[in-house]
Amino acid sequence: MNIMITNDDGITAPGIIALAEALRPLGRIAVVAPDREQSAVSHAITLHHPLRAERQGDDIFAVSGTPTDCVNLGINNLLDFRPDLVVSGINRGGNMGDDVTYSGTVSAAMEATLMGIPAIAVSLATSGEGKSYEAAALFIRRLAQRVAEEGLPSDTLLNVNVPDLPRERIKGPLITKQGKKRYQGAIVDKIDPRGRQYYWIGSIEPTYEDIEGSDFAAVIRGHISITPLHLDLTNYASLELLRGWKL
Ligand code: MN
């Protein structure tokens, strides 16, 4: 099995190192990841300046761009094989509910899915540095084998969130739906040392609504959450409603 790994926390992050270690027994593992943290860049692609890729070892590249750049460059240029699977993570912090729309981790998996390659995004739902990357990585090894055997539905990636608990306390996986984030106006509004106003988004830990069957509901109860995400964002139930507007 040929697997490409990427992330948005940067190539030296503990999550990607644990992931590469755990997946190595499955086959040939390549790492193509940002040379610095690129969290919350979503599906951004770099078009207005050149990218550099530094070879750090056999099949290991640090790229001066976004997670989406890494998937593009890795598959189209840097690797001399086409991956059977792309795994993005393990992110430091959960990517649940509406947060998937900001996530560089999830977007890297989206990019692979757009290129027709099965993809898994994986995040450790931690508010600190994270203790359970190895446990999460071992679960992804099992899941990756299963994805290789079964394939994935078209235009669909798996968004996995693992609670940051000791391995023996992590409960089995639940198949979940995307949940809802609770917004709480987390913008700092202060004056800088030169007397100018500044704003800083996102100082408060995100919280989520406890919706039955959701990603967050699973993780808060100690389960691994697996959400199948579809790249077609169309709200089919609204098509008829809007056609009824007779615009
Ligand atoms: Mn991140």
Side-chain angles (χ1 to χ4, degrees), residues 7-10 37-40 91-93 95 103-105:
N7 74 347
D8 77 358
D9 293 335
E37 178 159 1
Q38 295 275 353
S39 293
N91 190 57
R92 180 176 55 233
N95 276 305
S103 171
T105 306

Side-chain angles (χ1 to χ4, degrees), residues 95-97 125 161 163 165 171-182 207-227:
N95 276 305
M96 298 179 285
N161 282 275
L165 297 170
K171 297 180 193 160
L174 295 179
I175 307 301
T176 60
K177 62 179 178 179
Q178 187 184 342
K180 285 301 289 175
K181 186 177 176 173
R182 196 172 281 150
T207 58
Y208 303 88
E209 293 177 25
D210 192 3
I211 298 166
E212 195 183 339
S214 70
D215 44 16
F216 177 71
V219 166
I220 199 72
R221 288 167 181 80
H223 289 276
I224 294 170
S225 164
I226 303 176
T227 310

